[in-house]
Amino acid sequence: MGQKWDVVIIGGGLAGLVAANYLAKNDLSILVLEKGKTVGGRARTNQIYQQYFNLGPHALSKKGKAKSILEELNIHIIGKSPKLGGTLVKDNLEYTAPFTPLNLFTTNLLNLKERMEWAKVLMKLTSINTEKLAQHTFEQWVQQTTDSANVQSLLFLLGRLATYCHTPNKASAKVIVSHMKTVLSGVLYLDNGWQTIIDQLNNRAVISGVQIQTDQVVKHLDPIDHDHFKLVLSNGEELLSKYVVCTTGPHELHHMLGEQSSFSKIRPVKGATLDVALTELPNPKKLFAMGITDPLYFSVHSNYARLSVDGKSTVLHVFKYHTPDEHIDGKKVKKELEQFLEKLQPGSKDYEITSRFLPQITVNQRLPQIGDKVSSGYHTAFSLS
Ligand SMILES: Cc1cc2nc3c(=O)[nH]c(=O)nc-3n(C[C@H](O)[C@H](O)[C@H](O)COP(=O)(O)OP(=O)(O)OC[C@H]3O[C@@H](n4cnc5c(N)ncnc54)[C@H](O)[C@@H]3O)c2cc1C
């Protein structure tokens, strides 16, 4: 039997590194095991040529729990808030997004009655007690909130923007509306990408004595007595630990436990992302857009954050929100995202430096359903002791 640890953390993504930093404040021996070649998980940023690509569009809520946790750990967060506003697209037509007081009164999307209704709903949203929504799906809440089809579409759109969930008939109103409230308080696009958070968390953990090992896959996790877990790695190595914090997806944990656990039933929230770097924007005025009925997103993150070595190139993300269990035809989705980009930025291909398409990426490991608590963001950690 190999080395004994007080705590083994499985996964060196954001959740694993945050857990390591908190636990390092105690006198414990801590090991982080990460399957990838580097730490970071879904919060990593890849440098492709001179550009920094997050794994799809990443925005940190200014009033979210994740930011306050990172600040408590003395992680420096440098970035800028994108302006509210932009364009909404429906049936190939473009409308001004009614997210600011001025745009609310100038938008061609809503008639006068709908504008008043939308203003009322936005006011209600800021003061709503989300605890009272615990027994409702998001769709039920939207339908109870307004009869206007246009205002309902705007609420569904904001729900997608805030949580990436495109399943209003299943998702918990309490969780989605809580996140909508947080996102309406503003978000940050981070200079040099989310890797800056990962690097700081990683360095602080190492300095505090945490051991971090990459290229290590945990295959099995067995509780061997009341006090210990045995971890078996893919290279055959065996470790003992008093406590295990597992930050992998629930399906990976299910396989590690090697038994029928309810973890395998948890459904993820997924999407497709087209990450693009351009020398310049064909239409510099169009920086943000969403589909009203088509679940599409477009945002030029480099307009606010520095996302290239020289700070000059444009980095933007086009995204499609998937519904759970949807069959994904990668080629079709890619075309859909390219067409959305072409509509908003005609001729952008002529300026393209590089691009990356990921047809199916997990944004949130768990579709938030009725009965779920509001999590600190999109993170899931399972603590076993
Ligand atoms: C396209 C996209 C957009 C997003 N946008 C936002 C946003 O705007 N705002 C926001 O707050 N969040 C956003 N997120 C979510 C955010 O990126 C994640 O919530 C966060 O990075 C998850 O961190 P984590 O540590 O929980 O999980 P992960 O990053 O998935 O980390 C888990 C780690 O476990 C490792 N692992 C898995 N199995 C094993 C094993 N058997 N042994 C060892 N290691 C293992 C994995 O390699 C991985 O590194 C987005 C995510 C995506 C994909």
Side-chain angles (χ1 to χ4, degrees):
M1 187 64 73
Q3 213 173 335
K4 282 188 183 172
W5 297 87
D6 289 320
V7 186
V8 170
I9 299 171
I10 310 174
L14 202 50
L17 293 175
V18 163
N21 274 270
Y22 273 113
L23 290 166
K25 293 176 194 279
N26 303 290
D27 190 20
L28 297 167
S29 59
I30 304 164
L31 172 68
V32 176
L33 294 170
E34 166 54 49
K35 143 175 117 167
K37 289 205 180 338
T38 56
V39 290
R42 285 170 289 145
R44 69 183 179 273
T45 306
N46 300 111
Q47 182 176 346
I48 304 181
Y49 302 115
Q50 302 294 301
Q51 284 74 39
Y52 301 118
F53 277 6
N54 286 324
L55 222 50
H58 271 74
L60 189 69
S61 292
K62 281 160 102 176
K63 296 266 169 71
K65 287 185 191 153
K67 183 161 175 280
S68 56
I69 288 170
L70 292 170
E71 281 168 351
E72 194 173 284
L73 291 170
N74 288 321
I75 303 302
H76 299 290
I77 294 165
I78 302 168
K80 282 206 191 77
S81 293
K83 278 194 198 132
L84 269 177
T87 304
L88 301 183
V89 183
K90 187 178 174 187
D91 299 332
N92 239 8
L93 296 173
E94 295 184 15
Y95 303 90
T96 304
F99 298 145
T100 63
L102 178 66
N103 290 346
L104 175 66
F105 288 100
T106 54
T107 184
N108 45 350
L109 175 69
L110 307 173
N111 63 32
L112 187 62
K113 196 171 162 226
E114 289 168 332
R115 284 177 208 177
M116 304 298 281
E117 176 75 357
W118 179 230
K120 206 172 82 188
V121 169
L122 281 178
M123 296 270 284
K124 186 178 164 192
L125 198 57
T126 50
S127 57
I128 197 164
N129 177 358
T130 50
E131 287 303 321
K132 294 195 173 150
L133 309 181
Q135 298 310 318
H136 294 83
T137 66
F138 182 51
E139 185 176 65
Q140 285 167 342
W141 176 77
V142 169
Q143 286 166 352
Q144 282 162 16
T145 301
T146 176
D147 291 330
S148 155
N150 266 341
V151 174
Q152 287 185 356
S153 303
L154 286 171
L155 284 173
F156 288 131
L157 177 150
L158 264 190
R160 286 196 292 273
L161 179 65
T163 63
Y164 289 79
C165 290
H166 181 40
T167 327
N169 58 336
K170 299 229 163 60
S172 145
K174 178 180 157 186
V175 177
I176 306 289
V177 177
S178 299
H179 281 288
M180 280 162 72
K181 284 176 73 171
T182 310
V183 160
L184 282 173
S185 305
V187 297
L188 292 171
Y189 293 166
L190 304 189
D191 282 355
N192 302 322
W194 279 40
Q195 189 70 39
T196 53
I197 301 178
I198 292 298
D199 290 346
Q200 293 178 69
L201 286 170
N202 184 59
N203 293 346
R204 283 177 177 273
V206 171
I207 290 165
S208 310
V210 174
Q211 268 225 31
I212 300 183
Q213 296 180 5
T214 53
D215 249 332
Q216 295 282 23
V217 184
V218 179
K219 278 273 175 207
H220 300 293
L221 178 59
D222 303 316
I224 50 169
D225 54 40
H226 287 305
D227 297 324
H228 286 97
F229 282 90
K230 183 174 85 175
L231 294 102
V232 184
L233 310 190
S234 58
N235 61 8
E237 196 184 330
E238 295 188 354
L239 306 169
L240 278 183
S241 186
K242 279 192 208 156
Y243 299 94
V244 173
V245 177
C246 181
T247 68
T248 69
H251 294 266
E252 283 132 326
L253 175 58
H254 176 76
H255 287 301
M256 279 179 235
L257 292 170
E259 62 186 42
Q260 283 305 312
S261 69
S262 55
F263 292 124
S264 66
K265 297 197 184 94
I266 297 175
R267 299 157 100 197
V269 174
K270 293 188 177 195
T273 184
L274 178 65
D275 309 326
V276 182
L278 305 175
T279 49
E280 61 182 273
L281 270 184
N283 184 349
K285 288 203 172 134
K286 209 156 274 176
L287 299 170
F288 178 85
M290 285 187 78
I292 297 178
T293 40
D294 293 335
L296 299 172
Y297 162 104
F298 158 89
S299 181
V300 183
H301 283 228
S302 60
N303 197 58
Y304 302 97
R306 186 189 166 94
L307 287 169
S308 55
V309 174
D310 62 6
K312 286 185 184 152
S313 27
T314 296
V315 173
L316 60 88
H317 299 278
V318 196
F319 190 84
K320 179 170 186 193
Y321 305 88
H322 292 324
T323 50
D325 307 328
E326 178 183 345
H327 168 73
I328 313 296
D329 177 342
K331 273 192 190 155
K332 208 171 135 206
V333 175
K334 187 170 185 222
K335 207 162 168 207
E336 212 177 330
L337 294 182
E338 284 170 346
Q339 280 170 349
F340 195 54
L341 175 59
E342 183 58 22
K343 171 161 184 55
L344 298 159
Q345 294 290 339
S348 60
K349 270 270 170 219
D350 298 342
Y351 300 94
E352 190 172 302
I353 303 167
T354 183
S355 68
R356 173 179 67 184
F357 172 65
L358 303 168
Q360 263 198 84
I361 179 155
T362 296
V363 177
N364 186 340
Q365 296 285 9
R366 182 171 63 176
L367 174 74
Q369 289 181 286
I370 291 176
D372 285 354
K373 292 200 178 110
V374 179
S375 69
S376 62
Y378 305 73
H379 325 293
T380 324
F382 306 94
S383 170
L384 306 163
S385 62

